[in-house]
Amino acid sequence: MVQRQFPKPVELLELMQFKKPELNGTKRRLDAAYTIADLRKIAKRRTPKAAFDYTDGAAEGETSLARARQAFEDVEFHPDVLRPAENVDTSVEILGGPSALPFGIAPTGFTRLMQTEGEVAGAGAAGAAGIPFTLSTLGTTSIEGVKAANPNGRNWFQLYVMRDREISYGLAKRAAEAGFDTLQFTVDTPVAGARLRDKRNGFSIPPQLTLGTIVNAIPRPWWWIDFLTTPKLEFASLSATGGTVGDLLNAAMDPTISYEDLKVIRGIWPGKIVIKGVQNVEDSKRLIDHGVDGIILSNHGGRQLDRAPIPFHLLPTVVREVGKDATIMVDTGIMNGADIVAAMALGAKFTLIGRAYLYGLMAGGRAGVDKTIEILRSEIERTMKLLGVASIAELEPRHVTQLTRLAPMPRTDA
């Protein structure tokens, strides 16, 4: 029989602790975000549709992006038991320098259109976290501006080869003079992918006001206030704008880039050089033989060739074929710290995040980028502890099984 009594006020007060209200709206929103998906939801509420879709979307049917994310979800971990990992070391050495975490921030274009702090927020957050930040050729903060935002951290520069080669060469020289230590030479963008969300939204640089744009902006006045009351967008390379992102890319990029361009860039750049956008084993082997310092397995976040290979699926084969000591990195589809742990276990030396960083930026500026890094750090540490792994170096392929929903059909020409 349960004994009942009248509740005592003192005991009620002990059981019912009222949470102090948070008056800072940004902090309140970010405190309620526990995953990158949560940050994405906040970002979608706070950002005009055209700018959000530019970040969130991919090429054509967006199949490449969906498959890349599914590949990380289709991971089975194999933990070791009775292997204490109370304190874990998440640091790595990458391209001649340290990183406190096994990921850095990938290059993203037109970033201040997402949220006005743009690359300054990303570079500052990366520097504070002790991880590398990459500025895009199509970034909206200058090389020198990023250096000022992250004066003591590791800054990398992503380079497109333009039709006017002297523009590209000049950018590489400026980045080297500013102390950027690594160049990401991107090779998967001879022409722009068909980013259909941008076309349907009429998204252009600079933004064009339409009735739909205005209606969508009404519940988001803070975005327009920020956009209209902060300095004019400054592009790292483009002196003229006007048209969709695809139009700008097609006007600027050169579809004739080749190994001769790699040779020239190698002669200009004094630091480490990695090739971004590698999508098969043969190119991986060939590039390593050409003496590059590393490669990034990437399908450009699904924004170029739709139905391209899944970088995470390609990773184990490339590591096996080019050697486990080669610097192989991976991006596309990373939305959780466990994704990063899985990639490192399968032989990646480093990973890069793009959309995850931008969701945080749109959700809360610099504080939102800090939150992105905090979420991923927590997920990495928790996953490692549950696997019984005390350091990134202890991760091995045996810790991960890649489940697959897409088994290749036998080739008829084999």
Side-chain angles (χ1 to χ4, degrees):
M1 187 76 176
V2 176
Q3 182 179 356
R4 299 188 182 276
Q5 63 182 29
F6 286 105
K8 299 177 181 179
V10 174
E11 293 176 350
L12 282 176
L13 288 174
E14 291 177 355
L15 293 172
M16 300 172 61
Q17 298 292 325
F18 290 96
K19 184 178 179 180
K20 182 179 177 180
E22 177 55 65
L23 301 180
N24 183 307
T26 299
K27 188 174 188 304
R28 184 171 62 250
R29 288 192 302 274
L30 296 178
D31 284 348
Y34 300 102
T35 66
I36 301 301
D38 291 339
L39 290 176
R40 180 185 177 277
K41 291 176 183 176
I42 299 170
K44 188 173 184 179
R45 290 199 305 266
R46 295 190 59 79
T47 310
K49 177 177 172 57
F52 178 81
D53 278 355
Y54 169 73
T55 301
D56 193 60
E60 303 193 41
E62 305 191 358
T63 302
S64 287
L65 177 59
R67 286 177 178 175
R69 286 183 173 164
Q70 188 66 61
F72 281 115
E73 292 177 13
D74 289 345
V75 160
E76 182 178 83
F77 284 117
H78 306 290
D80 294 325
V81 298
L82 301 179
R83 290 281 299 275
E86 182 180 1
N87 299 306
V88 296
D89 179 6
T90 60
S91 66
V92 296
E93 287 287 318
I94 183 67
L95 296 168
S99 179
L101 294 161
F103 69 90
I105 293 181
T108 60
F110 311 107
T111 309
R112 283 187 57 218
L113 281 173
M114 279 85 257
Q115 201 273 353
T116 190
E117 295 177 59
E119 292 91 354
V120 169
I131 65 175
F133 174 84
T134 313
L135 173 64
S136 169
T137 294
L138 303 179
T140 45
T141 300
S142 69
I143 290 166
E144 294 75 17
V146 165
K147 178 64 176 179
N150 186 21
N152 301 312
R154 297 188 67 189
N155 294 308
W156 296 355
F157 187 70
Q158 176 264 341
L159 184 71
Y160 289 117
V161 171
M162 318 289 273
R163 292 179 187 271
D164 184 344
R165 295 293 198 270
E166 291 305 317
I167 293 177
S168 297
Y169 301 159
L171 288 168
K173 291 172 183 176
R174 276 176 59 193
E177 290 169 0
F180 285 49
D181 65 76
T182 295
L183 187 76
Q184 292 184 16
F185 180 20
T186 298
V187 295
D188 60 0
T189 315
V191 297
R195 301 173 192 179
L196 300 184
R197 288 205 217 182
D198 294 348
K199 293 183 179 181
R200 290 173 178 135
N201 289 328
F203 181 62
S204 63
I205 310 295
Q208 299 294 310
L209 294 178
T210 65
L211 179 60
T213 303
I214 294 170
V215 169
N216 184 256
I218 289 173
R220 301 171 178 84
W222 50 80
W223 187 93
W224 285 102
I225 291 170
D226 279 346
F227 181 76
L228 296 172
T229 61
T230 51
K232 181 182 177 182
L233 290 179
E234 178 185 13
F235 293 91
S237 62
L238 298 179
S239 58
T241 59
T244 66
V245 174
D247 293 337
L248 296 173
L249 286 174
N250 283 331
M253 302 310 164
D254 192 337
T256 68
I257 62 171
S258 67
Y259 276 87
E260 286 302 311
D261 291 294
L262 173 58
K263 182 179 179 181
V264 173
I265 297 298
R266 175 75 277 184
I268 292 172
W269 184 254
K272 302 289 187 181
I273 184 168
V274 299
I275 309 303
K276 183 177 186 295
V278 183
Q279 299 179 53
N280 63 57
V281 174
E282 292 74 20
D283 282 339
S284 301
K285 294 166 70 174
R286 191 177 299 116
L287 286 162
I288 294 297
D289 290 342
H290 271 74
V292 300
D293 297 293
I295 61 173
I296 302 173
L297 301 177
S298 169
N299 64 29
H300 213 106
R303 297 164 75 81
Q304 283 300 109
L305 176 66
D306 202 15
R307 310 186 201 191
I310 300 167
F312 180 58
H313 279 178
L314 191 58
L315 174 64
T317 305
V318 170
V319 170
R320 182 178 67 247
E321 292 296 321
V322 304
K324 61 184 179 63
D325 293 329
T327 300
I328 311 300
M329 297 176 277
V330 67
D331 73 15
T332 303
I334 294 172
M335 289 284 285
N336 189 291
D339 301 341
I340 295 169
V341 171
M344 300 300 288
L346 292 180
K349 293 294 192 292
F350 204 60
T351 63
L352 294 160
I353 61 163
R355 287 182 180 85
Y357 141 60
L358 294 177
Y359 293 146
L361 178 68
M362 290 186 286
R366 163 64 193 273
V369 183
D370 289 334
K371 184 69 173 185
T372 289
I373 296 171
E374 175 191 326
I375 287 171
L376 293 174
R377 182 201 308 273
S378 175
E379 291 169 342
I380 290 168
E381 291 178 348
R382 182 169 57 252
T383 303
M384 289 174 64
K385 289 178 180 180
L386 290 171
L387 285 174
V389 171
S391 70
I392 296 295
E394 291 181 19
L395 288 167
E396 298 177 354
R398 68 182 180 82
H399 288 115
V400 172
T401 294
Q402 290 177 304
L403 308 177
T404 180
R405 302 173 188 225
L406 298 171
M409 295 287 289
R411 290 178 55 173
T412 58
D413 61 346

